[in-house]
Amino acid sequence: MTKIKAYSAKESGADLKPFEIERRALKDTDVKIDILFCGVCHSDLHQVQNDWKNSKYPVVPGHEIIGKVLEVGDKVSNFKEGDMVGVGCMVDSCHECSACKDDMEQFCEKGATFTYNSPDKHLGGHTFGGYSESVVVDEQFVLTVPGNLKPEAAAPLLCAGITTYSPLAHWGVKEGDKVGVIGLGGLGHMGIKFANAMGANVVMITTSPGKSEDAEKLGADEVIISKEEDQMKKHRGTFDFLLNTIPVGHDANPYLQLLKRDATMVLVGAVEPLKAVNGSNLIMGRKKMAGSLIGGIKETQEMLDFCGEHDVVSEIELIKMQDINTAYDRLQKSDVKYRFVIDMKSLKES
Amino acid sequence: MTKIKAYSAKESGADLKPFEIERRALKDTDVKIDILFCGVCHSDLHQVQNDWKNSKYPVVPGHEIIGKVLEVGDKVSNFKEGDMVGVGCMVDSCHECSACKDDMEQFCEKGATFTYNSPDKHLGGHTFGGYSESVVVDEQFVLTVPGNLKPEAAAPLLCAGITTYSPLAHWGVKEGDKVGVIGLGGLGHMGIKFANAMGANVVMITTSPGKSEDAEKLGADEVIISKEEDQMKKHRGTFDFLLNTIPVGHDANPYLQLLKRDATMVLVGAVEPLKAVNGSNLIMGRKKMAGSLIGGIKETQEMLDFCGEHDVVSEIELIKMQDINTAYDRLQKSDVKYRFVIDMKSLKES
């Protein structure tokens, strides 16, 4: 076991402060990673605030981890010292259930071990995330980061990236499809980039006229202001796919009306109750509303390889570990374009 | 044009009474059908009561029509005098839009011509349904009824049948799948029969313990009483497919929790707003909630052929035309097992 520096919230809603945690000694199949960058996901804030009523304190958030391999266990075959690697939302799963066998560890029937706030099988207590100097992870949950990607901008791929890539890939978005991305935040901006890289005709759907220019810079071919009924009406029944990244409960009916016959809208943000969905918005046109949660490890590697091939990374604002509480305040107000990433040097040098 | 006897409601919620309507003269591609039996669908009652705010009076309901061909136009190639045929919810569509070209006339982009209460392209006014002596329909919307099916019990196949067959077939229900049918009424009882004929392990999901015995007689292998939390919990995450026939707005969340990863629940009844759906019930397990509306003409013929092959018909209570108002009262109270069918002889002899 090694004691290392980290940042944690000691109780619900508390400011994050320096905190010392332990990392396990390297096992045969483990990779020890020197954390260089860690993205700030909105769920970090939810966990700190105990919004989902399952937080365990102290919370050490962070599941968009990029780092360099420091050391590998004797049986590790895919990684060596110095490799640029990533760790996302999960660090372990049962490996035996049908979800794990189907490479969808995020739905592990015994419960995946999430990168933070999950029961720690090795040390007891709960897992601690990437707001820390280093991490020890079984190689099956370590990802290879393509060399051409800027590591700091690649960090958010590990959660925001796979969360948006997975549904676009699973539902087979392809060249020429008309794809709507609803909501322009950390998830939405990745949705635009991926859909664009897949060759789709990408439409940003937002409540904020002020976001049009940015959306187009990110790769949107068109922007719909969802409050403008005329615009929504004009596009009714024309979308092959909708990626709904709205992070809170909302009225999904106007969006369902945008779908073509047999098309699907996938929720990736709102884990909360949606306003009443009219059955007729699904029945008329045999439409589908679905959900999607991050992605499995195999698919996360595919996503990273896709990013390497298509030069896709996140738009980020690099911050110091010491600025995390200000960053959370700004995140609450959606004042970030589009993802904070912590330069972890700042923690080590503190 | 021919004047014939029918039954109509003259205004919202009025009793149905004898009424004279006109049928168009036979065109080249038309089939004139002597109506023998007509099923009583819950939407007949909705239209009479103007529940969907689109009724046109006088309403002559009826879209589960079985009859014998009386006469065919010069260019009719698929039917001849004396054939046992059916007419369902539609009598025409544009034939040109992508939905029509894909054999899904129910979603015709210019609006299918429904069997009653749709604009009548030939006579002006609106179409009149099967609570009448005869009907004239373009042969493309006339179905062949397999000879081994009892005609009166085949009538409800034209709406209740295709409404439940279509989603089961479209989502590929197959031998050994665990299929839940939610709600035991006109639609639900057909859902059980079809899922059973497809070789599925059929589970009836109902609020009413009193329906268990009937459900098993109809082909259900098991019954879940949805009010019993223990039973619902036991089956959580185990269903390959759910056919939700509940005809009114309801809380879909407990049902979504029954689905396996990647599985779908299809709504065929509730065109109304559902209670707030929790995004997490879709996101956790990449589940889908979809809708389905009757089926196209090609699929309706496939369904009838399937029924012929597997000896599937509806459970019916045969009534006289003169008893329709009492039947509506009983339908309101769900007091029918499981479909009223009008013996149209009673109208002709009146």
Side-chain angles (χ1 to χ4, degrees), chain A residues 104 107 261 274 277 285 289, chain B residues 104 107 261 273-274 277 285 289:
Chain A
M104 283 186 269
F107 300 130
R261 171 168 51 89
L274 301 175
V277 168
M289 183 165 83
Chain B
M104 284 186 269
F107 301 129
R261 172 168 51 89
L274 300 175
V277 167
M289 183 165 81

Side-chain angles (χ1 to χ4, degrees), chain A residues 257-277:
Chain A
Q257 291 175 357
L258 295 175
L259 292 171
K260 275 187 187 168
R261 171 168 51 89
D262 276 322
T264 299
M265 175 173 82
V266 175
L267 305 171
V268 291
V271 293
E272 302 167 28
L274 301 175
K275 286 194 184 157
V277 168

Side-chain angles (χ1 to χ4, degrees), chain A residues 144-315:
Chain A
T144 298
V145 179
N148 61 320
L149 302 180
K150 261 182 90 174
E152 57 269 46
L157 299 176
L158 278 312
C159 172
I162 185 63
T163 297
T164 49
Y165 173 89
S166 176
L168 291 164
H170 178 70
W171 271 271
V173 164
K174 60 186 187 309
E175 203 171 330
D177 282 355
K178 181 169 174 180
V179 171
V181 177
I182 307 170
L184 181 50
L187 294 175
H189 99 286
M190 288 311 305
I192 294 177
K193 289 190 175 210
F194 282 124
N196 185 51
M198 289 169 183
N201 170 20
V202 186
V203 182
M204 176 74 229
I205 303 168
T206 171
T207 52
S208 319
K211 291 186 176 174
S212 296
E213 200 179 320
D214 261 30
E216 283 166 7
K217 270 187 213 157
L218 291 164
D221 299 289
E222 204 172 339
V223 177
I224 299 178
I225 307 304
S226 55
K227 290 173 185 165
E228 303 286 339
E229 268 188 41
D230 280 2
Q231 293 188 30
M232 292 290 276
K233 208 168 170 182
K234 192 183 126 198
H235 289 268
R236 196 172 282 180
T238 63
F239 281 87
D240 294 289
F241 188 77
L242 288 172
L243 182 69
N244 183 335
T245 75
I246 301 174
V248 293
H250 61 277
D251 183 1
N253 290 295
Y255 305 119
L256 291 172
Q257 291 175 357
L258 295 175
L259 292 171
K260 275 187 187 168
R261 171 168 51 89
D262 276 322
T264 299
M265 175 173 82
V266 175
L267 305 171
V268 291
V271 293
E272 302 167 28
L274 301 175
K275 286 194 184 157
V277 168
N278 281 343
S280 59
N281 283 330
L282 296 169
I283 290 172
M284 302 311 293
R286 197 166 58 184
K287 296 172 183 176
K288 291 112 183 166
M289 183 165 83
S292 182
L293 179 75
I294 49 174
I297 295 300
K298 187 180 164 199
E299 196 180 33
T300 306
Q301 188 61 59
E302 282 169 18
M303 178 272 306
L304 287 168
D305 296 344
F306 179 93
C307 288
E309 207 175 309
H310 295 268
D311 260 325
V312 172
V313 288
S314 297
E315 303 298 305

Side-chain angles (χ1 to χ4, degrees), chain B residues 75-91:
Chain B
K75 291 186 179 160
V76 167
S77 55
N78 294 317
F79 301 97
K80 59 178 195 308
E81 200 190 319
D83 284 353
M84 187 66 76
V85 296
V87 175
C89 300
M90 300 178 283
V91 291

Side-chain angles (χ1 to χ4, degrees), chain B residues 16-28:
Chain B
L16 275 80
K17 290 185 178 164
F19 181 69
E20 203 178 58
I21 61 170
E22 285 173 348
R23 293 295 188 194
R24 69 174 183 258
L26 213 65
K27 295 183 193 298
D28 279 354

Side-chain angles (χ1 to χ4, degrees), chain B residues 27-246:
Chain B
K27 295 183 193 298
D28 279 354
T29 58
D30 278 347
V31 177
K32 184 170 185 178
I33 302 161
D34 175 36
I35 302 180
L36 300 177
F37 299 101
C38 186
V40 177
C41 175
H42 212 287
S43 52
D44 295 352
L45 182 54
H46 285 302
Q47 288 286 351
V48 163
Q49 296 179 336
N50 198 19
D51 290 334
W52 299 328
K53 307 296 171 206
N54 63 354
S55 297
K56 289 182 183 67
Y57 294 91
V59 174
V60 176
H63 58 206
E64 297 182 340
I65 297 169
I66 295 282
K68 275 210 169 160
V69 174
L70 282 174
E71 201 183 341
V72 299
D74 290 345
K75 291 186 179 160
V76 167
S77 55
N78 294 317
F79 301 97
K80 59 178 195 308
E81 200 190 319
D83 284 353
M84 187 66 76
V85 296
V87 175
C89 300
M90 300 178 283
V91 291
D92 206 355
S93 70
C94 83
H95 303 283
E96 286 169 0
C97 72
S98 86
C100 286
K101 285 184 177 159
D102 289 350
D103 295 310
M104 284 186 269
E105 301 87 356
Q106 74 271 36
F107 301 129
C108 173
E109 289 162 21
K110 293 185 181 158
T113 302
F114 291 97
T115 304
Y116 64 89
N117 249 335
S118 266
D120 188 322
K121 291 178 192 173
H122 304 275
L123 299 180
H126 58 272
T127 53
F128 294 126
Y131 294 8
S132 58
E133 287 183 277
S134 62
V135 65
V136 177
V137 179
D138 188 283
E139 71 163 330
Q140 291 190 56
F141 287 78
V142 178
L143 290 310
T144 297
V145 179
N148 60 319
L149 302 180
K150 262 182 91 174
E152 56 271 44
L157 299 176
L158 279 311
C159 173
I162 185 62
T163 297
T164 49
Y165 173 88
S166 176
L168 291 165
H170 177 71
W171 270 271
V173 164
K174 59 186 189 308
E175 202 173 328
D177 281 356
K178 183 169 175 180
V179 170
V181 177
I182 307 170
L184 181 51
L187 294 176
H189 99 286
M190 288 310 305
I192 294 177
K193 289 190 175 207
F194 281 124
N196 185 51
M198 289 169 182
N201 170 20
V202 186
V203 182
M204 177 72 231
I205 303 168
T206 172
T207 51
S208 319
K211 291 187 176 174
S212 296
E213 201 179 321
D214 261 29
E216 283 167 7
K217 270 187 213 157
L218 290 165
D221 298 289
E222 204 172 340
V223 177
I224 299 178
I225 307 305
S226 56
K227 291 174 185 165
E228 303 286 338
E229 268 188 42
D230 280 1
Q231 293 187 30
M232 292 291 275
K233 206 166 171 184
K234 190 182 128 197
H235 288 269
R236 195 172 283 180
T238 64
F239 280 87
D240 294 289
F241 187 77
L242 288 172
L243 182 69
N244 183 335
T245 74
I246 302 174

